[in-house]
Amino acid sequence: MQADAPRDIPAPTTSPEPRAHATRSGSRGTGRSRTGPSLLARGAARDPYRFYRMLREQHPLSYDAPLGAWLISRYDDVTAALTDPRFTGFPQDGAPRGGPAPLGLCHGSPRCLPADRYTVVTGTVPGALAERVQRTAHVLARRIARSPRADLVEEFCRWLPAAPAGNGPCARDTALRRTVLASLLANLLDDPDLLAALRIEPALTGRAWTESLRRDPPVQVVLRRTVAEVTLSGGTLPARAPVACLVGAAARDPGRFAAPDTFDPFRPDQDRTLTGPPGCPAVALSRLEAEQGLRALLDAMPRLRWAEGFRPAATGLLTRGPRSLLVRPG
């Protein structure tokens, strides 16, 4: 298939296809390495979830020749690649100890250890920063409320995420948190009944934020490399194999989540693994921005809804989220 050239995908490697043990059914077996469909194929970025479904079912471990990496797409395999020390990319010393490497907002870098004791469990951040987020959210929301039509991505999500000094690179990088907020708002605006429930019980925002990170992770692909032979559900990878962990596929794996394509904050199988490790500044800030942002929007615009005829559309392959959210504030 002819490949696109997305700017957010690394250049293909020129190394020859490696050998591995894999079977089409996903059970272990010995055989020649198998080249499968490419992540760079035309149309993959347009509808990655259909592509992911095909990979999970038919090619759980396959070599992507244009990308120069092995693709893994099942939940168990992806979480193993992000937590197992036989894969590089997850620090082994000095990393947060509260959970496995996140599938969404950061990559578990030891440089992200927070000096100000951020915690995702309590949702606390330094007081001055929390006040700044709250104040900014309400100023932006009141400004938008005066307009007959607005784009929440450009006029709200772009400006709300705060960038503190220090505390690790993931906290200073606001782009992913902006995408998380935009995806959350898109999911909620699609469900007016849920929005009404959030006005009555704001505490539900935390569950909605967790579910939105699961259904629409901002980081869709994370690259790793094996340091030893590793057996996964689709077969066995050799040592020093480049691996593309398809987070977007793992997050919608029906082997782990019931009705995985459905946005359901009340799902009994909700998985906090997908939000990142406790103590991560980016995780705590993202949740705070979601809670304060949504509260400000609903306070200023009780009748907030989609603009007539508008439907949100996510874009991107390595990172993915809606480019615009057109709404009628009143």
Side-chain angles (χ1 to χ4, degrees), residues 4-142:
D4 293 327
R7 288 180 292 177
D8 56 0
I9 288 291
T13 66
T14 56
S15 60
E17 179 186 343
R19 297 178 66 85
H21 304 300
T23 62
R24 180 173 294 273
S25 65
S27 60
R28 291 199 298 272
T30 302
R32 300 181 60 187
S33 59
R34 188 179 64 254
T35 300
S38 176
L39 192 65
L40 301 180
R42 187 174 302 278
R46 189 179 308 112
D47 186 5
Y49 293 108
R50 179 181 300 178
F51 179 75
Y52 294 158
R53 186 181 309 116
M54 180 265 295
L55 287 177
R56 284 193 308 263
E57 295 174 355
Q58 302 177 31
H59 304 278
L61 178 62
S62 63
Y63 186 69
D64 185 332
L67 185 65
W70 288 89
L71 303 182
I72 57 175
S73 50
R74 292 176 176 171
Y75 177 89
D76 289 343
D77 293 344
V78 170
T79 53
L82 295 174
T83 60
D84 193 312
R86 291 174 295 176
F87 291 83
T88 61
F90 182 59
Q92 315 207 2
D93 296 307
R97 300 299 181 185
L103 301 187
L105 284 165
C106 77
H107 300 151
S109 168
R111 292 181 298 163
C112 289
L113 286 175
D116 294 313
R117 303 181 68 181
Y118 293 80
T119 66
V120 73
V121 174
T122 61
T124 60
V125 298
L129 181 57
E131 292 176 5
R132 175 151 54 106
V133 170
Q134 182 181 29
R135 182 171 60 253
T136 301
H138 282 276
V139 168
L140 293 172
R142 287 195 294 268

Side-chain angles (χ1 to χ4, degrees), residues 2-304:
Q2 184 178 1
D4 293 327
R7 288 180 292 177
D8 56 0
I9 288 291
T13 66
T14 56
S15 60
E17 179 186 343
R19 297 178 66 85
H21 304 300
T23 62
R24 180 173 294 273
S25 65
S27 60
R28 291 199 298 272
T30 302
R32 300 181 60 187
S33 59
R34 188 179 64 254
T35 300
S38 176
L39 192 65
L40 301 180
R42 187 174 302 278
R46 189 179 308 112
D47 186 5
Y49 293 108
R50 179 181 300 178
F51 179 75
Y52 294 158
R53 186 181 309 116
M54 180 265 295
L55 287 177
R56 284 193 308 263
E57 295 174 355
Q58 302 177 31
H59 304 278
L61 178 62
S62 63
Y63 186 69
D64 185 332
L67 185 65
W70 288 89
L71 303 182
I72 57 175
S73 50
R74 292 176 176 171
Y75 177 89
D76 289 343
D77 293 344
V78 170
T79 53
L82 295 174
T83 60
D84 193 312
R86 291 174 295 176
F87 291 83
T88 61
F90 182 59
Q92 315 207 2
D93 296 307
R97 300 299 181 185
L103 301 187
L105 284 165
C106 77
H107 300 151
S109 168
R111 292 181 298 163
C112 289
L113 286 175
D116 294 313
R117 303 181 68 181
Y118 293 80
T119 66
V120 73
V121 174
T122 61
T124 60
V125 298
L129 181 57
E131 292 176 5
R132 175 151 54 106
V133 170
Q134 182 181 29
R135 182 171 60 253
T136 301
H138 282 276
V139 168
L140 293 172
R142 287 195 294 268
R143 183 180 303 165
I144 293 170
R146 296 194 293 266
S147 305
R149 181 183 171 102
D151 181 352
L152 292 184
V153 170
E154 188 64 26
E155 300 176 50
F156 192 79
C157 301
R158 178 182 176 184
W159 302 102
L160 181 59
N167 297 318
C170 67
R172 292 196 301 270
D173 184 2
T174 62
L176 287 182
R177 303 200 323 269
R178 180 191 318 156
T179 303
V180 171
L181 182 59
S183 295
L184 172 64
L185 293 176
N187 282 320
L188 293 176
L189 283 162
D190 269 345
D191 191 338
D193 291 338
L194 181 57
L195 267 184
L198 287 168
R199 292 188 184 97
I200 299 171
E201 185 49 73
L204 294 176
T205 303
R207 292 191 65 87
W209 171 81
T210 299
E211 171 69 350
S212 188
L213 272 173
R214 192 248 354 139
R215 183 180 183 273
D216 299 290
V219 177
Q220 293 274 310
V221 183
V222 174
L223 300 179
R224 291 289 187 263
R225 183 180 294 274
T226 59
V227 297
E229 186 176 277
V230 182
T231 298
L232 301 172
S233 72
T236 300
L237 283 167
R240 294 187 295 179
V243 182
C245 307
L246 304 184
V247 174
R252 297 200 188 190
D253 187 341
R256 173 60 182 86
F257 301 101
D261 294 333
T262 301
F263 177 73
D264 180 11
F266 303 100
R267 63 171 57 249
D269 56 358
Q270 192 167 75
D271 190 342
R272 293 185 66 88
T273 301
L274 304 180
T275 64
C280 173
V283 173
L285 277 171
S286 175
R287 179 164 179 165
L288 174 74
E289 288 156 358
E291 292 172 344
Q292 295 296 335
L294 187 59
R295 183 177 303 172
L297 288 172
L298 294 180
D299 285 349
M301 293 165 273
R303 298 180 59 200
L304 181 66

